[in-house]
């Protein structure tokens, strides 16, 4: 069936393409408003396909997998949908695990939906079901235990796993990673007031974990291999502001700290650094980054780099297999974040259900939660050459920095107050052209005022 209208509208927030005489009132993917859509020219008009009673399998029931299932159901009322989850819990909000670790968020509030929601949406949720292999020739997913599930279209949403540096001692008792509810339960059981905790990795997850455990009155030290904290999300100035705040929370930070080995006799007693220092520890939490759970698709012969490669329709190199969320790599980016995983899930669900739509990519953004000093980092935050202009200040004991390139807003750091979060997200996503507003004297306060009026 050819699409009936000759106009195409692209959402400037998430890249969703709408076909029709006018922009939609709200974006079905990210809830952006009609004014956030721009009319574009499209060379090739994709066609809708009736999904009928197709069989859909989704591997992984994180936010990407659950969003994909909901989106398929919306567009394919008669399809069979099976959602496989390795974990035994009902799907939950992974991003709130650090809040749970801090004692700010009860475990009972973590589920994304109630069990009855899956029944109402006729989604066959199978918890404790591990996909072991994908047979591409017969289009089947083979489960641990031997069951083989046939599919017409498959969405792989297997997420990622913590990266554990190859140093001796990582298998000692009281050494943890943070990815699942079960990890958080175990860490909470091991940490009491006064427990000496070392977090290996001073990125966003390391700092949130440190902040959460400091709230449990543990004595926390963060080890960062780089010479300043959160090197992926902050510039040195922003990092200084955050380090001062961590001092006030009694969290010790050691930079240029490359771990050599974790020592102990059965139980951990410390972390030894390459530069000779020994940091005492009763508990170690490794927060050194993550890696895509891409083995299933790699074994099946599909193309994998940092993640499983997908095109704008979130299709892998196999036409009936999509990949979304932390496992996927789109246009060179593996996001590792909640909102893109949710958008990708919705968009892949639509494509799999026969409603063509594209993911245009979004600027990478990171939000720091449990430290009591919120932080937003979005887009470009460190200049890579002389063509960038940074406008910054330290208003209200925090920090704000706006990054421009050729008069367009391409990145922003906000530490302390996040009042500007919404307009900033929109403006960076749209690469807002502020040439006519900017002068050599424009201050950060003036940029903030300009954005908040949008
Ligand atoms: C503690 C913590 C805090 C975070 N905080 C934030 C935040 O504040 N903001 C933010 O943007 N992001 C945050 N993130 C990152 C965010 O949670 C992830 O980007 C997001 O959850 C990715 O969703 P996903 O569905 O792709 O993968 P996941 O949520 O990892 O879900 C994948 C699921 O697939 C399952 N699975 C894997 N292999 C198989 C298999 N073979 N068979 C069956 N099931 C399988 C896994 O067990 C898992 O349940 C945080 C992450 C953590 C760990």
């Amino acid at each position: 069936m050819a699409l009936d209208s000759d106009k195409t509208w692209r959402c400037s927030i998430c890249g969703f393409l709408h076909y029709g005489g006018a922009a939609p009132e709200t974006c079905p993917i990210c809830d952006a408003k009609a004014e956030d859509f721009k009319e574009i020219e499209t060379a090739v008009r994709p066609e809708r396909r009736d999904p009928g009673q197709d069989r859909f399998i989704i591997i992984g029931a994180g936010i990407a997998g659950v969003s994909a299932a909901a989106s398929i159901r919306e567009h394919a009322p008669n399809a069979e949908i099976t959602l496989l989850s390795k974990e035994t819990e009902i799907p939950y909000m992974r991003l709130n695990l650090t809040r749970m670790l801090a004692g700010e968020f009860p475990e009972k509030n973590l589920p994304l939906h109630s069990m009855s929601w899956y029944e109402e949406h006729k989604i066959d949720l199978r918890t404790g079901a591990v996909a072991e292999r994908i047979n591409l020739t017969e289009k089947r997913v083979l489960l641990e235990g031997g069951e083989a599930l046939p599919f017409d279209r498959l969405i792989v949403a297997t997420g990622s796993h913590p990266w554990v540096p190859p140093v001796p001692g990582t298998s000692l008792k009281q050494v943890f990673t943070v990815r699942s509810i079960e990890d958080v339960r175990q860490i909470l059981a091991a940490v009491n007031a006064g427990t000496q905790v070392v977090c290996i990795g001073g990125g966003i997850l390391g700092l949130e974990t440190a902040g959460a455990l400091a709230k449990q009155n543990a004595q926390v030290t963060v080890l960062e291999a780089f010479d300043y904290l959160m090197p992926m999300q902050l510039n040195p100035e922003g990092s200084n502001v955050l380090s001062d705040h961590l001092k006030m929370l009694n969290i010790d930070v050691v930079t240029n700290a490359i771990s050599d080995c974790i020592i102990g006799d059965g139980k951990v007693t410390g972390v030894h650094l390459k530069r000779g220092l020994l940091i005492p520890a009763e508990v170690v939490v490794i927060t050194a980054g993550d890696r895509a759970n891409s083995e299933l698709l790699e074994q099946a012969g599909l193309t994998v780099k940092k993640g499983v490669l997908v095109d704008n329709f979130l299709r892998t190199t196999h036409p009936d297999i999509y990949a979304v969320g932390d496992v996927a790599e789109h246009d060179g980016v593996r996001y590792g974040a909640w909102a893109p995983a949710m958008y990708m899930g919705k968009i892949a669900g639509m494509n799999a259900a026969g409603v063509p739509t594209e993911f245009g990519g979004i600027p990478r953004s990171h939000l720091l939660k449990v430290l009591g000093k919120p932080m937003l980092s979005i887009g470009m935050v460190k200049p890579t050459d002389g063509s960038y202009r940074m406008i910054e200040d330290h208003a209200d004991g925090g920090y704000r920095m706006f990054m421009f390139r050729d008069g367009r807003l391409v990145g922003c750091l906000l530490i302390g107050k996040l009042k500007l979060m919404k307009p900033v997200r929109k403006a960076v996503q749209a690469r807002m052209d502020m040439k006519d507003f900017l002068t050599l004297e424009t201050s950060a306060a003036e940029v903030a005022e300009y954005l908040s009026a949008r």
Side-chain angles (χ1 to χ4, degrees), residues 59-66 84-87 92-98 129-132 157-160 178-180 184 205 208-209 293 295-296 324-327 335-341 365-369:
I59 309 179
I63 183 63
V66 173
L84 303 173
S85 175
K86 197 180 212 167
E87 293 181 76
Y92 58 89
M93 291 182 274
R94 201 171 299 286
L95 86 167
N96 280 332
L97 287 179
T98 35
V130 183
E132 238 178 21
T158 45
S160 64
V178 200
R179 184 74 198 176
S180 65
V184 171
L205 184 59
E208 287 217 342
T209 302
N293 290 331
E295 319 73 48
L296 279 174
V324 289
D326 283 9
V327 73
Y335 286 91
W338 187 261
S365 79
H366 306 272
L367 198 61
L368 197 56
K369 305 182 295 272

Side-chain angles (χ1 to χ4, degrees), residues 93 96-111:
M93 291 182 274
N96 280 332
L97 287 179
T98 35
R99 289 190 171 121
M100 176 178 157
L101 198 59
E104 291 174 347
F105 200 91
E107 186 177 328
K108 69 176 173 51
N109 292 350
L110 274 184

